[in-house]
Amino acid sequence: ETGVTQSPTHLIKTRGQQVTLRCSSQSGHNTVSWYQQALGQGPQFIFQYYREEENGRGNFPPRFSGLQFPNYSSELNVNALELDDSALYLCASSSRQSYGETQYFGPGTRLLVL
Amino acid sequence: SQQGEEDPQALSIQEGENATMNCSYKTSINNLQWYRQNSGRGLVHLILIRSNEREKHSGRLRVTLDTSKKSSSLLITASRAADTASYFCATDASEGAQKLVFGQGTRLTINP
């Protein structure tokens, strides 16, 4: 158990809809990162939030957006869902005190877009 | 884009044998981390090795890092059925955001 929780665990949406995924970080951690993992692939970095600001973004379009709250929990929002957005979405929390801190992952939210 | 490339993509061994997985990457890194994933669930952190380290141990795990060859290996000794999982290496080369770049993983099966 990492102390990182995500909700919901599973979600089914249709193309064009919008979705919000949630993540609660481990106690004491101020940084949350989001990753997308397609079936059979390794996770790909979407973006990272530190102290409520986006602090780095991967190669994902603007319809992927996020928020971080004062308690360091976070949301990932995806607008105009496409079939290829079907994936496991993972959040990871860490303490950004120096470079190279371990990221602790939650169990993920499995999204299916029909 | 995937920076790390794991080798082999799949590995099947008998319980009690040792399992070795390799990871190669392309750019200079701050550190390299190994994670385990069971059946498409969350990632479990196994070990972090910094760029100035050459070897680390944690229980039955041994990780080596060769920055001149841009490669790392994960050795699991005395394997158990519970070690069956996918194993990923992830590199952190970022300045600022802690962006992990994952390979496609090695699927390890331990046969009883």
Side-chain angles (χ1 to χ4, degrees), chain A residues 72-88:
Chain A
Y72 304 127
S73 65
S74 178
E75 287 183 353
L76 164 65
N77 300 290
V78 187
N79 293 322
L81 284 166
E82 301 177 358
L83 298 180
D84 284 348
D85 296 332
S86 295
L88 180 68

Side-chain angles (χ1 to χ4, degrees), chain B residues 25-93:
Chain B
Y25 57 92
K26 298 173 185 174
T27 65
S28 296
I29 60 172
N30 299 318
N31 64 72
L32 184 145
Q33 304 182 37
W34 284 91
Y35 287 85
R36 184 184 74 226
Q37 185 176 43
N38 292 82
S39 301
R41 297 153 103 183
L43 295 166
V44 175
H45 182 262
L46 297 177
I47 202 161
L48 179 153
I49 186 164
R50 301 190 190 279
S51 59
N52 61 352
E53 297 175 313
R54 292 297 167 258
E55 187 172 311
K56 282 191 85 169
H57 296 255
S58 177
R60 296 183 295 113
L61 305 181
R62 172 179 172 252
V63 167
T64 62
L65 179 64
D66 187 334
T67 53
S68 66
K69 295 181 179 178
K70 292 186 170 59
S71 67
S72 175
S73 67
L74 169 67
L75 169 66
I76 304 174
T77 61
S79 64
R80 306 167 181 169
D83 295 329
T84 294
S86 291
Y87 291 81
F88 294 90
C89 70
T91 54
D92 178 2

Side-chain angles (χ1 to χ4, degrees), chain A residues 38-55:
Chain A
L39 199 61
Q41 304 292 316
Q44 293 213 358
F45 177 77
I46 302 174
F47 45 53
Q48 183 177 86
Y49 278 83
Y50 169 64
R51 292 186 176 179
E52 303 177 57
E53 297 284 335
E54 187 179 289
N55 181 49

Side-chain angles (χ1 to χ4, degrees), chain A:
Chain A
E1 289 291 328
T2 63
V4 180
T5 61
Q6 291 186 244
S7 63
T9 55
H10 295 83
L11 202 52
I12 300 175
K13 291 286 188 178
T14 56
R15 198 169 42 182
Q17 286 189 311
Q18 178 266 343
V19 68
T20 297
L21 310 181
R22 295 178 176 83
C23 172
S24 292
S25 59
Q26 187 171 317
S27 178
H29 286 179
N30 55 17
T31 302
V32 173
S33 304
W34 286 92
Y35 293 82
Q36 180 196 65
Q37 185 178 22
L39 199 61
Q41 304 292 316
Q44 293 213 358
F45 177 77
I46 302 174
F47 45 53
Q48 183 177 86
Y49 278 83
Y50 169 64
R51 292 186 176 179
E52 303 177 57
E53 297 284 335
E54 187 179 289
N55 181 49
R57 189 179 184 93
N59 189 26
F60 281 82
R63 59 189 185 84
F64 286 78
S65 63
L67 284 172
Q68 188 180 32
F69 299 100
N71 66 354
Y72 304 127
S73 65
S74 178
E75 287 183 353
L76 164 65
N77 300 290
V78 187
N79 293 322
L81 284 166
E82 301 177 358
L83 298 180
D84 284 348
D85 296 332
S86 295
L88 180 68
Y89 288 85
L90 297 160
C91 79
S93 76
S94 57
S95 175
R96 189 169 176 247
Q97 296 177 358
S98 62
Y99 295 135
E101 296 302 321
T102 298
Q103 294 191 23
Y104 295 92
F105 284 79
T109 293
R110 188 163 295 282
L111 172 66
L112 177 62
V113 182
L114 302 175

